[in-house]
Every structure is written in C-alpha cells, then in structure tokens.
C-alpha cells in the first residue's frame, strides 16, 4: 500500500519521501572519500618516483594502486557504472589481465636494467701518433678504478671514441683504446646515449672548436686535459670563426697559451741571460690552431723580456731546412706543434749541435717517446706542460707509482695526470648532482630516459661550476696536480704553480728520462 501511494504521488509530480541515512550510508561515503584521496596520493607518489628515477617495484605498485583506487571510487560513486561493468564484464577482464601483464613486464624490465654512468673519452686514437691519447685514457681508467661507483652503487663505464676525423664519422674504441669497437655516424649519434653523463677530452684545440657547440647543445659537461687555445672559454664570442655558445658546458684542466708562454718565456729568458747577451731564437710552428696560438703568445712575451734578440717565426719544414743548411744557427728553438714533425725538427737541431749548440723546447707532447729517439745526454731538451704535474713528491709521486704498477711500459705523461684529476672531478660532480634525488637513466634511449639525462647533466654542470669553491672542506682533497677549481668561464685555476717544465737527461738508474725541473 505504501509503495503504491508513493508511486501515485510521483505521478502527481510530488517527490517521494527520502529514506533516512543510516550508519551503512555514512561508512560508504567515508569509504569512497578515503579511497579517492589515497588513490590520488598513490598516483602522485608513483609519478614522482618515475620522474626522479626511482627505478624499482615501488613506483610501479603505487601507480597500479592509484589507478585501481580511482576505478573503485568511480564504481562506488556512480552505481550506473556497475550495471555497465556487469554487462561488459568479459572485455573489462581482458583489459585488467592485459594491464597486469604490462605492469609485470615493466617491473621485470626495470629490475633487469640497472642504471649506469657512462663517461665518454674523446681522443685521436687513430691519429698518426696515438700515444698521448692512450695516456689520457689510462689516466681516466685509473680514476674510474679509484671510484668504481657513484652514489647508491651505480657503476661507471668508459666509452672511448676516436675524434681525429669527425667529418668522416666516429669510431668507438675498446676500453684500453687498442682496437676498434664499432662505428657511429657522428658525434651527435654518440651523445644520443642518455647514459653518457660527461666527456673527457678532446686533446686538440682544433677538435674542441668542432665539439664544443655540439656537446653544449646536448647539455653534457666536457673537461679537456690539454686544450690551451684561449678563446675556447670565451662564451658568447667567436673563436677562430666558431661561435662559442653562451651556455657552454666546456671546462679544461690546462692553462691557456698566454699563461704557458708567459711562464716559459720568463724561465728561458733567465736561463739565456746567464750565457748570451743577444741570442738568435727560432719559433717553429705547424699549421694547427694550437701551434700558431702558442707561437704568437711566446713571441709577444719574449720580445717584452729580450727585445734585442733576433727572433724568427718559421714553419716547421722551413725551419728544418734552414737549420740543416746552416743559414740559421739558433741558440734557442721553440717547437710549437703536435704530432711527429717535432721529431724531424729536433733531428735537424741534433745534426748541427757541434756547430751551433741549441736549447730545444717543445710542448709536453714531445715527451711521449716520438722525439727522444734522437736525444743525447749532451743535448738540452726541455718540455713545458700546461698543468703543474710534479711527479717527484706528494700526490704526483703517488700517482706515478700507481701508473707504473698498472702499466709497465713507462711513466705517466702530464696529460695522463690531468685526465685523472679531470675524471675524478667529473665523478664527484655527478655524485653531488645525484644527492638531489636525481637518478641516472637505465637505458640509452627513450623519452623518460632523456628527461632524466638532461636533469643529471644540468646538475652536474652546476656542480662543476662551484667545484672546490664552496664553504667547508673541498670537494677534492688530494688532487694530483694540487688544489684547483674552475672560474666562471670554465678555465682551471691552480692554487700554486700553473705549468711544469721537464728536462730530458740521465735518470736515477743511468737511463735517459724526463725529469721534473720546475
């Protein structure tokens, strides 16, 4: 009777009487509200975990709980959905099974793929004389062996590649740089690997002009152990017809041509002043940007100190011919170049040594053995390095011992020591970046991987710009080259000495070797 009366009242346009809410209704309402809030929180946690790189089962489960909770809330809130689900229970079941399979596959993939930090090494391994490139790679290898892992046990891998002909493509090298390991279309292809967190190199300044715009566009920090061309760090300016990006991510562990020329000219001028009032100086330069830049800087510094000297700038081949012919009898020969041409020039100087004793000075590249085959104990042969590597004491001597223990074919070059410190600084900057809940990518490709890579690289560059400049203890307490940091441009600043000079002569065991002088 009551139901019929209510139905009649409904037909007459009047509302039926409402049933009072009981305890079950209140519980249902609160259940829906709590489920909705918990689902939103779970979704937020899952998305945040995926964003910062917490690659574990937690992020997957939280996202599944959030999605399921939202669906449950909808079912409890809108009873009409229940009827639709009952009508379409079979396709919904299929979708749930598919979602479970996808989630399980993703979780399995995450567990199987661990994050890795890759450090690329850009060196001329396939050039005419690759000894300096391999010495740098050895320095990088020793630094990685000293660290092994970054924060949270993430391993470090080295990715060496040859850069002597970037226009013709990039060749991957084996971890020791001894043989080929694959090809890439170009530098951009190498940098597309999201797991590459930094680059050590390049060796030559000419190569740096090509690489800096590309590497900076990718946001990857790059530290060179040897580049000395001054304008490489002049951000927003044109360097040898190449614009340097304002947001350049380039740093270097070598002082500029001007600094090296100033130290070298001061030392040699004091040395010659004890012997000659007026000297004939030959500056032999090759066609590289490095050679021409060092020659110009040295000429300027030398004329300020000894304006009465007869200084002549010549090409390497021209200088060699004149020395052999005897038309030029220099008291000092400064070789400004790379490669093996310095050896041929020194051979010419040695052939005329009795008629015209000369000092022969060159960059640290002449220390790799390609030139000393013509050296004699009677000759005065010097090399100047763009970093203060002193292998006779302190951490420099410790590094020399580690190098000799690991590699039995000679002593480390100054470039190997600079590469060691550069790699340690890069690894420490990566660790500092990861302290902000930044995780490295677990794969080389993918949009999520790219987001993580960009975040890690950006924070690493910021850490390098403040490296050893913050309050408290330094980031790197016992560097091989002594205390250092990077200025606002990315140039290295050493606390004490800026360069190192070596002389080739009789060693402690009677065997000729390079010895630290200053």
């Amino acid at each position: 009777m009551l139901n019929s009366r209510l139905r009649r009242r409904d037909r007459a346009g009047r509302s039926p009487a409402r049933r009072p809410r009981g305890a079950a209704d209140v519980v249902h309402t609160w259940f829906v509200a709590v489920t909705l809030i918990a689902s939103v929180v779970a979704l937020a946690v899952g998305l945040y975990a995926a964003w910062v790189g917490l690659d574990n089962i937690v992020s997957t489960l939280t996202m599944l709980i959030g999605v399921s909770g939202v669906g449950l809330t909808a079912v409890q809130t809108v009873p009409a959905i229940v009827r639709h689900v009952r009508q379409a229970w079979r396709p919904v079941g299929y979708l749930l099974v598919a979602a479970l399979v996808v989630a399980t596959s993703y979780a399995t993939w995450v567990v199987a793929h661990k994050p890795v930090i890759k450090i690329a090494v850009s060196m001329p391994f396939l050039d005419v004389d690759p000894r300096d490139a391999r010495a740098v790679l050895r320095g990088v290898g020793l630094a990685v062996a000293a660290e092994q892992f970054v924060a949270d046990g993430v391993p470090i891998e080295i990715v060496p590649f040859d850069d002597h002909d970037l226009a013709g493509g990039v060749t991957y090298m084996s971890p020791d740089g001894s043989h080929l390991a694959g090809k890439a279309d170009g530098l951009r292809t190498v940098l597309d690997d999201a797991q590459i967190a930094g680059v050590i190199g390049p060796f030559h300044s000419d190569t740096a002009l090509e690489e800096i715009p590309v590497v900076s566009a990718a946001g990857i920090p790059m530290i060179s152990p040897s580049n000395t061309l001054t304008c490489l760090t002049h951000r927003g300016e044109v360097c040898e017809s190449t614009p340097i990006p304002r947001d350049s991510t380039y740093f270097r562990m070598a002082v500029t041509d001007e600094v090296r020329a100033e130290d070298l000219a001061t030392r040699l001028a004091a040395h010659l002043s004890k012997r000659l009032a007026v000297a004939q100086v030959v500056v032999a330069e090759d066609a590289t940007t490095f050679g021409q830049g060092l020659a110009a800087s040295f000429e300027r510094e030398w004329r300020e100190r000894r304006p009465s000297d007869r200084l002549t700038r010549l090409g390497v081949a021209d200088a060699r011919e004149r020395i052999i012919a005897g038309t030029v009898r220099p008291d000092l020969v400064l070789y400004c170049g790379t490669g093996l041409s310095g050896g041929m020039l020194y051979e010419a100087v040695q052939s005329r040594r009795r008629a015209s004793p000369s000092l022969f000075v060159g960059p640290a590249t002449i220390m790799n053995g390609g030139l000393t085959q013509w050296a004699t104990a009677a000759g005065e042969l010097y090399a100047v390095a763009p970093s203060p590597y002193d292998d006779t004491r302190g951490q420099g001597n410790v590094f020399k011992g580690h190098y000799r223990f690991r590699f039995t074919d000679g002593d480390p070059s100054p470039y190997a020591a600079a590469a060691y410190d550069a790699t340690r600084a890069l690894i420490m900057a990566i660790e500092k970046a990861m302290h902000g809940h930044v995780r490295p990518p677990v794969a080389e490709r993918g949009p999520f991987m790219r987001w993580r890579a960009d975040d890690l690289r950006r924070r690493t560059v910021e850490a390098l710009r403040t490296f050893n400049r913050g309050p408290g203890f330094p980031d790197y307490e016992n560097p091989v080259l002594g205390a250092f940091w990077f200025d606002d441009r990315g140039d290295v600043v050493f606390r004490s000495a800026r360069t190192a000079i070596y002389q080739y002569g009789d060693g402690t065991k009677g065997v000729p070797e390079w010895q630290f002088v200053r």
Side-chain angles (χ1 to χ4, degrees), residues 441-470:
V442 297
E444 298 178 357
R445 303 289 187 271
F448 285 102
M449 303 300 108
R450 177 59 57 192
W451 292 340
R452 296 180 191 175
D454 291 343
D455 194 21
L456 177 61
R457 293 166 179 176
R458 177 181 56 81
R459 293 174 182 265
T460 302
V461 171
E462 293 174 354
L464 284 173
R465 287 175 178 163
T466 59
F467 185 78
N468 273 349
R469 299 168 65 181

Side-chain angles (χ1 to χ4, degrees), residues 43-245:
L43 275 175
V45 171
L47 291 174
Y48 176 77
W51 174 259
V52 300
L54 296 178
D55 293 314
N56 49 43
I57 199 66
V58 175
S59 61
T60 304
L61 289 178
T62 51
M63 293 186 69
L64 286 176
I65 292 172
V67 173
S68 302
V70 171
L72 180 61
T73 303
V75 169
Q76 293 293 326
T77 307
V78 186
I81 296 180
V82 176
R83 292 196 301 272
H84 295 303
V85 171
R86 288 176 178 174
Q87 294 173 0
W89 64 270
R90 185 170 297 177
V92 170
Y94 292 156
L95 289 176
L96 290 176
V97 172
L100 181 61
V101 170
V102 170
T104 305
S105 301
Y106 174 75
T108 305
W109 181 85
V110 166
V111 172
H113 291 74
K114 299 296 183 181
V116 175
I117 289 292
K118 294 181 181 179
I119 298 177
V121 181
S122 173
M123 286 287 135
F125 294 104
L126 301 180
D127 206 350
V128 178
D129 188 3
R131 278 172 285 196
D132 284 320
R134 292 180 182 176
V136 168
L137 183 58
R138 289 178 172 183
V140 174
L142 288 175
V144 171
E147 296 289 343
Q148 293 187 348
F149 303 96
V150 292
D152 299 330
V154 179
I156 307 171
E157 293 183 5
I158 302 175
V159 183
F161 64 91
D162 173 69
D163 62 11
H164 88 285
D165 183 20
L166 292 176
V170 172
T171 302
Y172 290 106
M173 305 299 295
S174 60
D176 63 352
S178 61
H179 57 272
L180 311 184
K183 290 282 291 184
D185 294 335
L187 181 60
R188 285 185 174 84
T189 304
V190 176
L191 303 181
D192 280 342
D193 185 345
Q195 293 180 316
I196 291 181
V199 178
I200 300 297
F203 190 80
H204 297 303
S205 294
D206 287 325
T207 308
L209 289 172
E210 298 182 64
E211 292 190 353
I212 288 176
V214 180
V215 177
S216 297
I220 302 176
M222 177 169 63
I223 310 177
S224 170
S226 55
N227 295 160
T228 58
L229 183 62
T230 303
C231 58
L232 289 176
T233 53
H234 290 187
R235 297 171 182 164
E237 301 180 13
V238 177
C239 178
E240 301 291 331
S241 73
T242 300
I244 303 299

